[in-house]
Each structure stands twice: as structure tokens, then as C-alpha cells.
Amino acid sequence: MKKFFATFMILMIFASTVVAQDGEKKSKRQKKERKVSIKKSESDGPTFKDRKITFFGHLSPVLSSYRSRDAVDNVRLGRRLNFSYGVGAEYHLSPTFSVLSGINFAAGGGKMWSFEDIAFDQDGATDFVVPVKTKMKYKTRSLQIPVLARWTSAPQGDKQNMKMYGQAGLGLNFGMRARASFFNDDADIKERRIDISEDYRNFDMNLMLGAGVIRDWNEKFDYFCGLSFSRGFVNMAKNYDAIRNRAWTIDVGIIF
């Protein structure tokens, strides 16, 4: 009986030791998994979770030009490189659909070739006359209010590092400045940055189409890059028949 009792006590002590060691190992493993889970949540956690409104800013290279109804005028048209910039807000109607608006300082302009003598109004002074075969370089700046609808391939804040977007809408452009430079070697004309605001429309409406990608940066910021095209509906130059703005833009900015 004593031997049986001694053997039973030894087995109980051994069993309790094994159970204690297993419990300690399990507790350490749970703590380790919890730490990894917390760390992952901190680094890859949702961006802008549960936010209906986000904001963005951009600085975008623009390649702008004109297009005329007259095929002759289109023969010597060229493009100009400039930059647009602005800020805006995005209201999320659903996880993958939103509307955007804001204020942009939009660049425009292009290169043209005069096929006839053109007179530019100089604020009541003597008109500035441009003879035939004069190269003209327009450069404009307008205050633009875009109204766009955007679709994204995945919800914002879903821990997905990259998502695609497509957008479409209108841009309302209010002219701020219009200047032109004129070059004609035969007539010895080299005039730079002449104010032509009196001969240029101060309002335009654009169709705007674009697509690109949004990439998660951290829990407070995302950044985006895309390509967009805009086409104006309004005849901008009073000296030409139906000269309309066109532009290709590389959209680069941050969302916060």
C-alpha cells in the first residue's frame, strides 16, 4: 500500500509539472501572436477608416494645345508645357464611389500660326497687328472648379496597398490671365508676353476624363498618380473660328 501511494504521488507530481510547462509554453505563444497581430495592425491598418470626407492636393504637369474647326488653322498648331496645382475634397458616397471638387489653378495655352493679318485690342490703345506667317505662343491661367465622379477598384481603408481609379466630370474655368508671344523674322517681330485678355474668352467649360492608381503610404496619407484628358467646349480666341482648349495632364498628389 505504501509503495502504491508513493508511486501515485510521483505520477501526480510529474503530471502537474508537464501541465505547467505546457501552459507556460501556450501562454508565451499567445503573447507572441498577440504582439505580431498588434504590430501588423499598426503598420498595415486601415487608411482613413470610417471617414466620409478626405482631402487632397496636387501639382500636375500639363501639356496643352488648341484645336480649330478650320482644318487650315490646325496645320501649325503646337503644344505648351506648364503646371497646374490645387486642393480639393472627396466625399465618399460608398466604399468605392465618391464625388470630388475643389479649386485648381489650371494652365492652358498652345502654339498657333497666323494665316492672315490679326489685330489684338490693347486696352483702348492702338491695336497690335500681327502679319501673316507669325508664330504665336499662348499661355493662360484660369481658376478651375472641377466636379468629378470617381470609382475605385477597392474601398479606401481596406488594407490594400494599391487600387485603381477612374473618374469623369466637368471643369468650370474662369480666366485669370492670357498672354501671348509673337515671332516673325520677315516682319522683324519679337514680342514676348503681350497681354491679350481683351481678345480671349474669360470662361470655359471642360469635359474631364482620367484614370490612375492610389497607393497607401501610411495611416494618415495616401498618394496618387494618373493621367487625365480635358476638352473645352467654348471658343476661346475671338480672332479665330472655334479655337478650343485641349490638355493632357499627369495627376500627381497626396490624399490626407
Side-chain angles (χ1 to χ4, degrees):
M1 187 69 179
K2 291 181 178 179
K3 290 182 178 180
F4 176 77
F5 181 75
T7 302
F8 177 76
M9 290 299 297
I10 291 172
L11 291 174
M12 288 295 293
I13 293 172
F14 178 76
S16 63
T17 302
V18 172
V19 171
Q21 290 178 349
D22 289 343
E24 185 177 354
K25 289 180 180 180
K26 186 176 180 180
S27 178
K28 289 182 178 179
R29 187 165 59 251
Q30 289 177 344
K31 288 181 180 179
K32 186 176 180 180
E33 290 176 353
R34 191 179 298 114
K35 288 181 180 180
V36 172
S37 177
I38 293 173
K39 185 177 180 181
K40 185 176 181 181
S41 176
E42 289 176 350
S43 59
D44 299 331
T47 306
F48 312 125
K49 185 179 180 181
D50 299 327
R51 287 181 59 181
K52 280 290 187 181
I53 299 178
T54 53
F55 302 92
F56 61 90
H58 73 94
L59 176 63
S60 306
V62 179
L63 196 61
S64 61
S65 63
Y66 293 113
R67 198 71 182 171
S68 174
R69 183 179 297 170
D70 190 340
V72 175
D73 292 337
N74 293 327
V75 174
R76 301 295 295 269
L77 294 181
R79 297 178 175 86
R80 299 209 67 176
L81 178 64
N82 211 325
F83 288 88
S84 294
Y85 52 93
V87 295
E90 180 177 3
Y91 183 77
H92 300 268
L93 298 173
S94 73
T96 58
F97 185 77
S98 59
V99 292
L100 299 82
S101 188
I103 295 177
N104 295 332
F105 293 94
K111 299 176 183 178
M112 299 177 62
W113 184 269
S114 65
F115 290 92
E116 58 184 20
D117 292 347
I118 301 174
F120 287 87
D121 187 2
Q122 296 296 295
D123 295 328
T126 303
D127 290 346
F128 179 74
V129 179
V130 176
V132 177
K133 296 183 180 181
T134 298
K135 186 176 183 180
M136 302 176 291
K137 296 182 178 181
Y138 285 77
K139 191 173 183 179
T140 66
R141 179 72 66 181
S142 60
L143 179 66
Q144 182 186 75
I145 301 177
V147 181
L148 301 171
R150 172 180 286 179
W151 169 85
T152 55
S153 60
Q156 192 163 257
D158 64 347
K159 300 183 182 180
Q160 182 173 328
N161 287 333
M162 184 178 293
K163 54 187 70 70
M164 296 185 299
Y165 72 84
Q167 61 188 33
L170 296 175
L172 306 178
N173 294 359
F174 302 91
M176 300 172 59
R177 183 178 69 229
R179 294 176 180 172
S181 298
F182 305 96
F183 303 94
N184 188 324
D185 293 336
D186 295 336
D188 194 23
I189 295 178
K190 291 184 180 180
E191 298 289 343
R192 299 180 184 274
R193 294 183 290 275
I194 302 296
D195 188 350
I196 58 168
S197 300
E198 296 295 326
D199 295 271
Y200 202 84
R201 309 288 182 187
N202 56 11
F203 175 77
D204 191 13
M205 178 182 291
N206 292 349
L207 171 66
M208 304 176 70
L209 304 172
V213 295
I214 301 173
R215 184 171 178 84
D216 293 338
W217 191 355
N218 56 34
E219 293 184 357
K220 295 183 178 180
F221 295 96
D222 286 357
Y223 60 92
F224 63 90
C225 182
L227 181 67
S228 62
F229 171 76
S230 65
R231 181 187 185 280
F233 295 117
V234 178
N235 179 22
M236 299 308 298
K238 298 177 182 179
N239 294 307
Y240 277 86
D241 180 25
I243 292 292
R244 294 184 174 91
N245 280 311
R246 293 191 177 193
W248 289 95
T249 305
I250 299 177
D251 302 310
V252 180
I254 59 173
I255 304 173
F256 55 94

